[in-house]
Structure formats: structure tokens, C-alpha cells
Amino acid sequence: MTLAHLSPILLLTVSNVFMTFAWYGHLKFPNKPLVAVILVSWIIAFVEYCFAVPANRYGHAVYSAAELKTMQEVITLCVFALFSVLYLGESFTINHAVGFALIGLGAFFIFRGPLG
């Protein structure tokens, strides 16, 4: 795998870590004012964009837009699964595993190319 193929994956992973914290990190602080968590989330989301935009710009040289979007969704699920267990202390159930596996199967078909 070349740097051109790998860099979008790494950038999307970093991007998704920031976005997951922007969207869900505040759940550990339910008593904080909503306006405050929105403002903090916007700041975190700005950092996320600083990784996501280059990931897609560079990635489009070697991946289709559909492949980039699929990659982003799979990375999001992986990051979120770890986040929900490690940061939020939630359980990862067999239902989650089955659902993620079905999404992974969809990703397989996106990257496989045309059938036939």
C-alpha cells in the first residue's frame, strides 16, 4: 500500500476521533449547559475538518468518492465502538457486532467493483 493510499485512511481516522468527541464527548457531562457543549463541539469539529478535508482531497487521487465515503463510515464505526466502550463505558453487544459486520459486507461490495 502506497503513501497515497494510506494517508487518507490515517487522516480520516484522526478526523473521526475528533468528530466522535465533538458529537458524543459531552455525554459524560450532562450537567453542562447545552450552549457551552455546542461551542466546545464546534471548536473540536473545526479540528476535525482540518483532517477530513485533506483526507478527501488527497484520497480522491486514488479512491473514488464512493470509496472515500465508505471508508469514512467504516472508520467512524470502528472509532465509535472503541469510544463508546472505553470513554463512555457502554457495552458492545453481539447485536452491535452483527450490525457492524453487515455494514462491513456493504463496504466489501463497494471496494470489490462491479459484479459480473
Side-chain angles (χ1 to χ4, degrees), residues 10-58:
L10 296 174
L11 288 167
L12 285 172
T13 300
V14 172
S15 164
N16 272 282
V17 169
F18 279 101
M19 196 50 130
T20 301
F21 273 97
W23 284 11
Y24 301 102
H26 64 88
L27 296 177
K28 285 191 89 164
F29 307 99
N31 296 325
K32 298 292 181 188
L34 184 57
V35 171
V37 298
I38 289 171
L39 291 174
V40 170
S41 292
W42 278 355
I43 292 166
I44 296 169
F46 172 76
V47 176
E48 183 268 341
Y49 270 63
C50 291
F51 289 96
V53 171
N56 288 300
R57 169 78 53 105
Y58 300 145

Side-chain angles (χ1 to χ4, degrees), residues 56 59-71 110-111:
N56 288 300
H60 198 248
V62 292
Y63 297 109
S64 71
E67 289 172 333
L68 285 167
K69 183 60 180 169
T70 302
M71 193 181 310
I110 294 291
F111 281 90

